[in-house]
Amino acid sequence: MARIPDAFIDDLLARTDIVEVVNARVPLKRQGKEYAARCPFHDERSASFTVAPTKQFYHCFGCGAHGTAISFVMNYDRLEFLDAVDELAKRVGMEIPRDAQQRDADPDTRDIYSALDAAASFFRQQLAASDKARAYVEGRGIAASIVEHYAIGYAPDGFSALRDALGTDPRRMQLLERGGMFSKNDRGNVYDKFRDRLMFPIHDRRGRVIAFGGRVIDPEDSPKYLNSPETPLFHKGRELYGLWQAKQANPKLDRLIVVEGYMDVVALAQFGVSQAVATLGTATTPDHAELLFRNAPDVYFCFDGDRAGRAAAWKALESVLPRMKDGRQGYFLFLPDGEDPDSIVRKEGVDGFDARLRDATPLSEFFYSSLSSDVNLSSLDGKARLAERCKPLLAQIPDGAFGDLMQQRLTELTGVGARASAPQTHVPTQRAHRATASSGQKPSLVRSAILHLLHQPAFALDLQPPYRFAALRQPGIELLSELILLVRERPDVSTGSLLEHFADREEAAALQKLAGQALPGDDASLRTSFVDAINLLEKQVLLQRLEELQQQQRDSGLDDADKQELRELLQARLRP
């Protein structure tokens, strides 16, 4: 899919009233120039969620959620970026540029969706017509309503049932093959990939069928589960079975429960646990982790309690750890030997399963118990070993209270890793964060200039090129320069549009935090502060060049031109 032009996003956000968008979903109350509400993204008693109409930006001082009207609709309505943009565009009578919809509008891609939908319909018809398949479904205790909700079907035995029903046309055959519905033997003969299996269609975030999972009916057959191969529509490391149905059943998802198989998802749903999803024959990936937390604040990973189950749990933890922003919680539920969610919920009912979830192991506890299982914490050597194991993993946790508390726990266990001070809000690069994290240090000039520019982008228009400060070798200078050039190119750009421009960049989170900070003062005083910061940065360019020449003089001497420049710089430094 082509990138939506910045000009379109700017225009969309300029026409969109973020107050109206948020208020339609969360009742807002006016507080001075801004609006406030209890945050919809975490539980709280007092209103710490604010919407700033002049910036077209929202921010929660409780959980740190922040963004534009686009990100709000994405997070609240659980939509993908293009879908959120499309929804907002329709509200204001705009149409997404055609080239930005290229992937969805591509005839081949669209026709693959249609072919897979036809395959899903065929499998449902075959389930209704097969005594064997219906008997299996009834024997597993799957209710008709669940069969309907998850669109479960049956792939008949034989090598050409689907091909004969849908593939008589060469074009349709090609589409089904691209959708992963056929296999090919060494002789080049094409045959149905799924045969004599209960079929579970896998849906994308928009409810379209993109792949299938098939479970054997005859216990002698193998493999037990068979998934569609990777296709233009399906990447198993990015998709979760049952997520579409979970979102349909829950207007607001408070939790998601990750289980290992399709039948576990279906069985839990039948007993009223409608928040279960399953990975698709793969370990939990970073994309899975992001998708899970984008849709629910609490995620429970449900695994067997054996060695393999704990290994899978650890892989899940490694994917989740870098995404543990404040407000998110991870848990691990390990089941008794020989049990799975399907058997547990049938034996103990939904109350019993919920009780197990309440007793699930928090991520923090699983983290430290796993890493210290073979460590003697009564010895200095053991404490040092645990600290070395933990440090690289803890460094992956985003800045915030959770990361601080995890570090504090390491200190309690080992005495290692105490922080000298509470962390400051960091400058929008990792290097800049390290440069300004020392206790009591005043915010850097670069950070101050970026902060003012985020609050009032038009301040950049007061500056005239050339921008001499850009020559400074300091963290954040490149970002400041880029922001100023962006505003020069797009004079009417808002805070929200600037943030959208950096949405996929490393600096995005830090910029959003800065944009959410209060900046007291009227426009005139803020403008003066911004210009003063730029002027001071330009003076630092002079000092930087002066130090270079002086070092060169000490090392190898100066030619006549450099000596003249040095004299001029020394005189300039003396001037007020």
Side-chain angles (χ1 to χ4, degrees):
M1 184 182 71
R3 176 180 171 87
I4 298 178
D6 287 332
F8 181 86
I9 296 296
D10 287 351
D11 194 15
L12 175 62
L13 291 176
R15 295 193 197 186
T16 298
D17 185 342
I18 190 172
V19 174
E20 288 184 2
V21 172
V22 175
N23 194 56
R25 296 160 173 81
V26 181
L28 295 171
K29 291 184 179 180
R30 191 174 189 104
Q31 288 186 352
K33 295 181 180 180
E34 299 183 342
Y35 294 80
R38 284 171 35 175
C39 181
F41 303 120
H42 81 290
D43 293 329
E44 63 175 1
R45 295 182 180 179
S46 58
S48 59
F49 179 87
T50 62
V51 180
T54 56
K55 300 179 193 174
Q56 289 294 296
F57 181 76
Y58 69 88
H59 180 78
C60 175
F61 294 94
C63 70
H66 42 243
T68 64
I70 296 173
S71 61
F72 181 85
V73 171
M74 288 176 65
N75 291 321
Y76 191 89
D77 294 349
R78 304 186 184 95
L79 298 178
E80 295 299 298
F81 176 77
L82 182 61
D83 299 321
V85 170
D86 185 48
E87 179 165 320
L88 292 174
K90 288 176 180 176
R91 291 181 75 257
V92 296
M94 296 175 68
E95 184 175 347
I96 298 177
R98 290 183 181 275
D99 59 345
Q101 304 181 63
Q102 185 175 357
R103 179 171 180 258
D104 283 348
D106 179 73
D108 279 351
T109 303
R110 185 179 60 237
D111 290 346
I112 296 174
Y113 283 121
S114 298
L116 293 179
D117 188 61
S121 296
F122 170 75
F123 293 141
R124 289 198 298 273
Q125 293 166 6
Q126 294 303 305
L127 176 60
S130 168
D131 293 338
K132 174 184 178 181
R134 288 202 319 276
Y136 178 81
V137 169
E138 291 170 4
R140 293 299 300 260
I142 305 173
S145 60
I146 295 298
V147 170
E148 180 68 24
H149 185 58
Y150 287 90
I152 299 171
Y154 171 65
D157 203 358
F159 287 88
S160 63
L162 179 67
R163 187 185 63 180
D164 292 344
L166 301 179
T168 52
D169 174 73
R171 166 71 174 164
R172 177 62 70 83
M173 273 283 289
Q174 182 186 44
L175 293 169
L176 288 169
E177 186 170 1
R178 289 188 65 197
M181 301 309 298
F182 296 133
S183 295
K184 188 180 293 186
N185 63 19
D186 294 339
R187 301 177 187 174
N189 296 325
V190 175
Y191 56 94
D192 290 358
K193 183 176 186 65
F194 298 97
R195 305 179 303 280
D196 194 25
R197 288 176 179 269
L198 202 63
M199 298 298 291
F200 299 84
I202 300 163
H203 299 81
D204 67 7
R205 276 72 125 191
R206 298 168 71 176
R208 298 171 297 191
V209 177
I210 56 173
F212 291 89
R215 189 195 191 285
V216 297
I217 288 181
D218 187 338
E220 300 299 319
D221 290 341
S222 64
K224 184 177 180 180
Y225 285 104
L226 180 65
N227 294 317
S228 292
E230 299 274 314
T231 72
L233 305 185
F234 176 59
H235 305 281
K236 62 184 179 181
R238 302 179 193 168
E239 304 295 340
L240 292 166
Y241 176 72
L243 181 59
W244 166 254
Q245 287 85 354
K247 290 166 66 175
Q248 299 310 299
N250 299 273
K252 183 179 180 181
L253 276 169
D254 295 321
R255 68 182 184 185
L256 280 171
I257 305 161
V258 183
V259 295
E260 295 189 75
Y262 307 108
M263 289 300 297
D264 294 324
V265 172
V266 168
L268 289 173
Q270 177 148 325
F271 280 80
V273 183
S274 59
Q275 307 92 10
V277 297
T279 56
L280 303 165
T282 182
T284 305
T285 66
D287 284 332
H288 286 146
E290 185 60 39
L291 184 58
L292 287 162
F293 278 121
R294 190 189 303 165
N295 285 278
D298 293 354
V299 176
Y300 293 78
F301 294 93
C302 187
F303 293 103
D304 293 341
D306 58 12
R307 186 173 181 178
R310 289 187 174 271
W314 183 256
K315 288 182 179 179
L317 181 143
E318 290 180 315
S319 293
V320 165
L321 210 59
R323 287 151 185 84
M324 287 300 294
K325 302 175 184 177
D326 288 348
R328 295 177 171 183
Q329 296 185 98
Y331 299 91
F332 293 86
L333 171 59
F334 296 102
L335 300 178
D337 289 345
E339 301 286 2
D340 56 29
D342 185 353
S343 63
I344 287 288
V345 78
R346 293 183 189 281
K347 289 179 181 178
E348 303 178 2
V350 65
D351 291 339
F353 188 75
D354 278 341
R356 288 183 178 273
L357 289 177
R358 287 194 296 272
D359 291 336
T361 304
L363 181 148
S364 55
E365 183 179 328
F366 178 56
F367 177 88
Y368 281 112
S369 65
S370 297
L371 291 178
S372 62
S373 61
D374 62 346
V375 171
N376 179 9
L377 286 177
S378 64
S379 71
L380 292 178
D381 306 69
K383 291 178 179 180
R385 176 175 291 182
L386 178 61
E388 286 306 306
R389 287 179 179 178
C390 292
K391 281 182 179 179
L393 294 166
L394 294 179
Q396 299 176 32
I397 301 175
D399 289 344
F402 179 73
D404 291 344
L405 291 170
M406 287 289 283
Q407 181 65 54
Q408 180 180 316
R409 179 59 178 153
L410 177 62
T411 302
E412 292 170 357
L413 290 170
T414 67
V416 175
R419 292 187 176 181
S421 64
Q424 291 179 313
T425 300
H426 61 283
V427 176
T429 66
Q430 291 179 350
R431 289 176 299 169
H433 171 64
R434 289 194 292 268
T436 60
S438 59
S439 176
Q441 184 175 349
K442 294 175 65 175
S444 73
L445 287 172
V446 179
R447 179 183 177 280
S448 177
I450 291 174
L451 178 61
H452 281 75
L453 202 53
L454 286 173
H455 282 257
Q456 292 287 354
F459 286 173
L461 303 177
D462 294 341
L463 307 178
Q464 296 301 321
Y467 307 117
R468 290 185 293 275
F469 69 84
L472 275 175
R473 292 186 295 275
Q474 287 186 18
I477 282 290
E478 290 184 7
L479 178 58
L480 175 60
S481 302
E482 185 176 355
L483 284 166
I484 290 172
L485 291 175
L486 272 173
V487 178
R488 299 288 295 187
E489 293 171 1
R490 296 149 60 186
D492 296 325
V493 70
S494 66
T495 301
S497 292
L498 283 179
L499 296 175
E500 285 296 337
H501 179 85
F502 288 91
D504 297 324
R505 297 263 297 271
E506 176 189 358
E507 302 93 335
L511 286 174
Q512 289 171 339
K513 286 184 180 180
L514 288 175
Q517 289 185 15
L519 194 59
D522 57 25
D523 282 356
S525 64
L526 294 177
R527 187 186 302 271
T528 299
S529 296
F530 172 72
V531 174
D532 287 347
I534 297 296
N535 289 336
L536 288 171
L537 287 171
E538 296 198 338
K539 287 185 178 180
Q540 289 184 9
V541 175
L542 180 151
L543 296 175
Q544 177 179 281
R545 179 57 179 159
L546 182 61
E547 290 174 0
E548 289 174 354
L549 289 171
Q550 289 174 331
Q551 184 62 45
Q552 183 178 336
Q553 185 179 45
R554 290 190 293 269
D555 293 343
S556 58
L558 302 174
D559 59 23
D560 290 341
D562 288 339
K563 288 177 181 178
Q564 178 61 30
E565 183 183 0
L566 178 58
R567 284 192 294 271
E568 291 173 356
L569 289 174
L570 288 170
Q571 291 171 0
R573 188 177 64 173
L574 297 175
R575 290 194 292 267

